[in-house]
Every structure is written in C-alpha cells, then in structure tokens.
Amino acid sequence: MTREDLTIALALALGAAVLFGVLLHLLWQRLRHGGAAELEKHEHMAERLHEAEEAQEAAEIHMRAEIARVEAERAEAEAALHRALAEREAELAAAMDTVGSLRRDLEGWQEAYEAIARGRS
C-alpha cells in the first residue's frame, strides 16, 4: 500500500465516521424529542394558546363595553344629582325669600302693634 492509498483510505474512514456521527446525532435528537407524539403535544399546546388569546381578546372587548356602560350610567346619575341639587338650591332660595318677606311683614306687624299699644297707654 502506498502513501496515497493510505491517505485516501484514512480520508474515507474519517468521512464515514463523520457521516455516521451526524446520522447518530439526528437519530438521537429524534428519539429524545419524541417524534410525532411530541409534535402533536406542541400542536395541542399551540391550539390551546390560540384559544386562550381569543378568550382574552373577547374578555377585553367585554370589559371595555362594560366600562363604557358603567361610565354612561355614572354620567347619567351625576347629571340627575346635579339637577336635583339645582332644584333644591332653587327651593332653598325661594324659602329664604319667603322667610325674609315674612320677617319684614312681622316687623311691620310688630311696629303697628307697638304703635297701637303706645296709643292706648
């Protein structure tokens, strides 16, 4: 065997060893990750994740609608309270005017009574 033959034989043996190593690595990876069963598991998890994301989006939409409804009710209640407060303030002002008018009338009656009482004495 010549030197060139030995070099070629060693190169072929090393190439075959590398190829064999790559094939063993691929086989090991396939066995380690479970193959089709693992793939189905990943697909199932992806499907569940997608469903959860859709449910989250639906919940967010529902929450936004509920917030808008509550805000509208709050605004309506606030407007009603402002109207009621304005009515009560108007009633109070009218009552105060009436009380002032009655006080003036009472003062007039008192002055008249005192004048009559002084006239009799």
Side-chain angles (χ1 to χ4, degrees):
M1 184 182 262
T2 65
R3 187 176 186 164
E4 289 180 17
D5 292 338
L6 184 59
T7 303
I8 292 173
L10 283 174
L12 288 175
L14 286 173
V18 168
L19 183 62
F20 186 67
V22 168
L23 290 175
L24 282 177
H25 177 72
L26 291 175
L27 179 63
W28 175 255
Q29 290 297 327
R30 185 158 183 109
L31 290 174
R32 195 173 107 204
H33 291 297
E38 191 70 21
L39 184 60
E40 284 183 27
K41 183 178 174 184
H42 286 287
E43 287 177 2
H44 179 66
M45 286 191 319
E47 182 180 318
R48 287 180 50 202
L49 176 63
H50 182 67
E51 290 171 358
E53 288 173 345
E54 287 178 349
Q56 179 185 8
E57 289 174 7
E60 287 174 357
I61 290 170
H62 177 69
M63 181 182 67
R64 285 188 194 108
E66 193 65 21
I67 287 173
R69 184 187 65 77
V70 168
E71 282 293 320
E73 287 178 2
R74 183 202 55 80
E76 185 178 318
E78 187 175 344
L81 288 172
H82 281 294
R83 285 191 302 272
L85 178 62
E87 288 175 11
R88 297 307 174 266
E89 287 175 346
E91 289 174 2
L92 178 61
M96 294 302 287
D97 289 344
T98 303
V99 168
S101 174
L102 289 174
R103 280 187 183 161
R104 286 187 295 277
D105 287 347
L106 181 61
E107 287 174 3
W109 282 100
Q110 282 178 343
E111 290 173 5
Y113 174 74
E114 288 173 1
I116 293 172
R118 272 186 258 146
R120 287 187 181 178
S121 23

